[in-house]
Amino acid sequence: MPNDIQNRLSAQNVCRTLLKKGLITSGQAEQILKKKDALEARLKKQKSHKQVSGTRSVNPVTSVDIIAALNLESAGADSRVLDEELIFQTLADEWEIPFKKIDPLKLDLNLVTTTIPRSFAMKHLVLPIAIKDGHLTVATPNPFNVEVMEDIARASQFKVQVVVTSKSDIVKLINEFFGFKRSIAAAEHQFAGPSVDLGNLEQYVRLKSADELPSTDQHVVNAVNYLFTYAFDQRASDVHIEPKRDVSLVRMRIDGVLYTVHQLPKNVHSAIISRIKNLSRLDMAEKRRPQDGRIKTEKGGVEVEIRVSTIPVAFGEKVVMRIMDPDVLFQDLEKLGFTSTDLIRYNKFINMPHGIVLVCGPTGSGKSTTLYSTLKDLYTPEINITTIEDPIEMVCEEFNQIAVQPAIGITFATILRNILRQDPDIIMIGEMRDLETAENAVQAALTGHLVLSTLHTNDAPSSITRLLDLGVPPFLIQSTLVGIMAQRLVRKICNHCMEPFDMETAELRTMGLDVEKNGRITLYRGRGCQKCRGTGYYGRTGIFEVVPYSESLKKMTNASMDIETIRNQAMAEGMVSLRGNALRKLLTGKTTYQEVLRVTWEQH
């Protein structure tokens, strides 16, 4: 490392900059300089241990590594931990060079991996990230490495613009991108020759198939491992691998929205699908029928289940992997997004000794998370919880989980009859689809069991009419139903780029949003930053509509009942609609009016 860089990144200079920007106190600066040598020795020892154990060694330990290792709390107003990213942000500001938090989803795989060799990128910690107007943007933690930038300019034939990025981000991206690219390129090379997918609509006859890599091939194994790691890092709930005519698309659903992540060469598609099928114990030879399987893996020391579904489409087999993250599925009920009143009401339902509790909403509205979190909350060693699911979403050893298998006669209805002989206290039924399932659920509730289930209705009051439509007699609904809850998921405003803005309530009213206030009000939105990939949203929260099945509602339940009357009565008894709860989240700065309009509708 040249002397000018060493000087700029020396502990004294970094401390001076942090002190100048008000991020550390003079006492903290002294503490850093005092502990510097001991920490440097410890970090070097850790690095040499990693090198011995097979991890590639990266640049020497710097003063930034040493300061970040101390985990100091910054002296600034927001009291952030003084981590590597914050230090590099501050240094970039002092150097008057832009700081860039790189979004992996927006990087061009070919640009990153073909501009410079991996060994050069890793040696000098440089990463090409964009080309615009004849300039190549290069991210690095060492922006004063003039010779290296000149070498890149000569090799690429572009003028180089430098941005500062934290060292750990650069190392991670170099490993991920070069590793993935190398695996895909090696697999593609192994497939060299004409490649026409036999799943294509325009069938070709071929005497000898050469487009299938063995599922044990190391390059494909690495590429699939990379996709899993990447999905975990990006908080993806689903990974789609979709064959097209000339390429294969990898898309990931993050906070309910699909993003295209990679375009793979078409001739490695079959190999990647075979590897995933092998991991999920599916039949690799069967390509004409849909198949379902599951993979158990690890994410940050926690077991994660991945549900795998394959289906034949026009250009081959498509795979969708649903990532069942226990951190998402099992949450404290207080963290799901309930208002305090709704939480009290819902807790009253689920602590009843017997009866039916219904959770309603369309696919992807968070019903599974609510039910699993509820069962986790109710579980004690003294009770027996039995679930019937299609399929089992997440294996949890505290519950007795039964998978529906219609092929051998195990349906929701048939298994419910047998479950009652299993001495359950609480029964969770994945979905009430037909009269037979509903009748058996009613019988279970009448014989002293608490039954939790889901219905696909738009709101809570509609569930009563849905049960009547299924054919359940009104007197049985009146004697077993305890309460109903409808729910949706709205995206939360990103905390890292949240900003206030003023808006006229009249303008909101024209969109159908009545906030019961007049004049200008302050709302919030996300500007868009690297943490939220420029969307302005980070994570999701629930909105709920909770209806206790009161005596007055029981009296209204009959074959000729009117849904509007039921809804008005529920509102009179304190029900807050989905729209009403969404508006509360809007006014408290949790979400945006665009999300409220997207997820809820006006009740007339």
Side-chain angles (χ1 to χ4, degrees):
M1 198 185 284
N3 285 334
D4 60 336
I5 301 167
Q6 283 186 329
N7 289 337
R8 286 177 187 268
L9 285 173
S10 69
Q12 286 84 354
N13 278 337
V14 174
C15 283
R16 196 176 296 126
T17 301
L18 295 174
L19 203 54
K20 178 182 169 185
K21 300 287 183 183
L23 287 177
I24 58 171
T25 60
S26 52
Q28 286 175 318
E30 283 175 27
Q31 184 188 351
I32 291 165
L33 296 171
K34 200 179 290 179
K35 293 183 176 179
K36 171 171 77 78
D37 294 336
L39 263 171
E40 187 172 6
R42 195 178 82 197
L43 290 171
K44 279 180 177 173
K45 191 177 177 183
Q46 286 173 357
K47 277 187 180 289
S48 62
H49 173 69
K50 282 184 180 178
Q51 197 172 7
V52 169
S53 61
T55 307
R56 193 165 183 153
S57 179
V58 189
N59 266 17
V61 173
T62 67
S63 57
V64 176
D65 298 326
I66 294 163
I67 296 167
L70 285 166
N71 282 324
L72 297 171
E73 195 169 286
S74 72
D78 56 357
S79 297
R80 277 178 63 185
V81 172
L82 201 60
D83 58 11
E84 185 190 15
E85 191 173 306
L86 182 55
I87 296 167
F88 272 112
Q89 267 180 316
T90 310
L91 291 172
D93 186 45
E94 174 68 12
W95 298 333
E96 296 182 348
I97 298 172
F99 177 83
K100 177 86 173 164
K101 173 74 177 169
I102 300 171
D103 181 358
L105 290 179
K106 291 180 181 166
L107 283 186
D108 180 340
L109 190 66
N110 285 325
L111 170 67
V112 172
T113 54
T114 57
T115 310
I116 55 174
R118 178 195 177 118
S119 54
F120 184 88
M122 193 60 99
K123 182 181 178 184
H124 301 290
L125 293 178
V126 286
L127 194 74
I129 58 171
I131 292 176
K132 191 177 180 183
D133 303 330
H135 288 83
L136 174 70
T137 304
V138 176
T140 177
N142 304 338
F144 305 105
N145 228 330
V146 180
E147 287 177 22
V148 171
M149 298 309 158
E150 285 173 354
D151 288 344
I152 295 172
R154 274 195 298 274
S156 65
Q157 302 291 302
F158 286 105
K159 289 180 181 175
V160 170
Q161 285 182 336
V162 183
V163 292
V164 175
T165 299
S166 65
K167 185 169 86 171
S168 56
D169 276 4
I170 293 286
V171 171
K172 185 180 175 193
L173 288 164
I174 289 171
N175 280 327
E176 286 182 354
F177 273 77
F178 279 92
F180 184 61
K181 176 70 176 176
R182 194 169 54 188
S183 300
I184 291 296
E188 190 179 12
H189 177 70
Q190 206 151 344
F191 286 112
S195 169
V196 180
D197 196 310
L198 293 179
N200 199 312
L201 279 178
E202 298 106 1
Q203 283 288 347
Y204 281 75
V205 177
R206 188 186 354 217
L207 296 176
K208 186 178 178 184
S209 173
D211 69 335
E212 189 90 358
L213 242 173
S215 62
T216 53
D217 183 272
Q218 196 57 44
H219 306 307
V220 175
V221 170
N222 289 342
V224 171
N225 286 352
Y226 166 82
L227 286 178
F228 285 148
T229 307
Y230 197 61
F232 296 153
D233 284 349
Q234 298 299 318
R235 303 177 297 110
S237 60
D238 300 84
V239 179
H240 295 233
I241 303 176
E242 304 177 356
K244 302 299 179 191
R245 187 183 298 278
D246 302 313
V247 293
S248 180
L249 294 184
V250 179
R251 301 200 290 165
M252 293 185 184
R253 190 177 294 280
I254 303 163
D255 291 339
V257 180
L258 271 173
Y259 297 87
T260 300
V261 175
H262 291 303
Q263 281 196 3
L264 305 179
K266 185 63 183 290
N267 52 3
V268 301
H269 176 81
S270 295
I272 284 177
I273 300 299
S274 291
R275 172 62 183 164
I276 291 165
K277 281 180 161 184
N278 185 38
L279 287 171
S280 48
R281 297 194 296 280
L282 297 179
D283 182 354
M284 285 193 279
E286 179 55 78
K287 298 185 177 189
R288 300 163 302 164
R289 289 195 182 94
Q291 296 187 68
D292 292 303
R294 59 196 325 129
I295 300 168
K296 206 174 186 87
T297 184
E298 190 180 276
K299 181 192 94 171
V302 179
E303 279 190 352
V304 174
E305 291 211 15
I306 299 169
R307 222 167 64 201
V308 179
S309 168
T310 71
I311 200 160
V313 293
F315 297 112
E317 270 188 295
K318 176 182 173 181
V319 164
V320 175
M321 294 179 283
R322 164 69 57 90
I323 297 167
M324 314 305 294
D325 187 340
D327 292 341
V328 174
L329 271 177
F330 299 111
Q331 297 185 41
D332 292 338
L333 292 178
E334 295 82 22
K335 293 178 182 171
L336 293 180
F338 285 101
T339 62
S340 53
T341 309
D342 283 348
L343 183 59
I344 291 165
R345 286 179 159 196
Y346 184 63
N347 270 319
K348 194 174 176 184
F349 297 169
I350 61 176
N351 285 294
M352 296 289 273
H354 54 81
I356 295 174
V357 176
L358 294 175
V359 179
C360 315
T363 304
S365 59
K367 299 190 299 294
S368 294
T369 297
T370 299
L371 285 173
Y372 270 99
S373 301
T374 301
L375 294 177
K376 194 83 170 174
D377 184 72
L378 292 173
Y379 173 77
T380 65
E382 290 80 37
I383 66 168
N384 173 13
I385 295 176
T386 305
T387 74
I388 316 166
E389 302 171 64
D390 181 21
I392 293 171
E393 301 257 347
M394 177 89 195
V395 175
C396 177
E397 60 182 36
E398 290 158 355
F399 317 146
N400 298 293
Q401 294 167 286
I402 302 160
V404 168
Q405 299 175 69
I408 56 170
I410 299 178
T411 64
F412 282 116
T414 55
I415 203 69
L416 254 174
R417 290 199 292 271
N418 295 295
I419 271 186
L420 295 180
R421 299 187 204 114
Q422 288 284 315
D423 185 30
D425 296 293
I426 297 170
I427 301 167
M428 192 269 271
I429 305 166
E431 189 186 339
M432 276 199 207
R433 296 177 182 171
D434 50 45
L435 176 59
E436 196 182 357
T437 306
E439 282 178 337
N440 282 299
V442 165
Q443 288 305 315
L446 286 171
T447 51
H449 304 89
L450 181 66
V451 180
L452 305 177
S453 187
T454 67
L455 271 181
H456 287 290
T457 59
N458 286 330
D459 60 5
S462 305
S463 302
I464 301 169
T465 53
R466 180 69 197 278
L467 289 175
L468 290 167
D469 291 343
L470 284 175
V472 183
F475 74 92
L476 285 178
I477 298 174
Q478 291 161 357
S479 53
T480 55
L481 191 59
V482 170
I484 314 152
M485 182 175 76
Q487 69 176 88
R488 296 289 188 281
L489 292 174
V490 291
R491 289 186 289 173
K492 292 192 289 188
I493 298 169
C494 173
N495 282 329
H496 300 93
C497 61
M498 182 190 282
E499 64 177 14
F501 69 100
D502 288 343
M503 195 168 184
E504 287 288 347
T505 52
E507 193 182 340
L508 286 169
R509 279 196 195 93
T510 60
M511 293 185 256
L513 298 178
D514 186 3
V515 293
E516 297 177 359
K517 292 183 181 183
N518 291 312
R520 292 183 76 75
I521 57 168
T522 300
L523 300 178
Y524 294 85
R525 63 188 168 206
R527 274 191 316 277
C529 64
Q530 293 300 333
K531 292 272 187 188
C532 61
R533 298 171 317 281
T535 60
Y537 299 102
Y538 190 96
R540 291 187 289 176
T541 186
I543 52 167
F544 302 92
E545 188 174 271
V546 184
V547 180
Y549 191 50
S550 63
E551 288 301 320
S552 53
L553 291 178
K554 286 179 185 177
K555 287 174 186 168
M556 291 181 179
T557 304
N558 54 60
S560 60
M561 64 176 270
D562 174 41
I563 186 67
E564 281 305 313
T565 313
I566 290 276
R567 186 177 288 117
N568 292 337
Q569 181 60 33
M571 299 281 272
E573 292 177 6
M575 177 190 92
V576 179
S577 67
L578 289 166
R579 169 66 61 91
N581 271 321
L583 287 173
R584 288 181 181 183
K585 282 193 160 49
L586 170 70
L587 295 172
T588 53
K590 296 278 195 314
T591 192
T592 62
Y593 70 86
Q594 290 94 337
E595 277 294 286
V596 175
L597 288 166
R598 182 179 73 86
V599 173
T600 66
W601 67 100
E602 191 76 77
Q603 298 279 15
H604 296 293

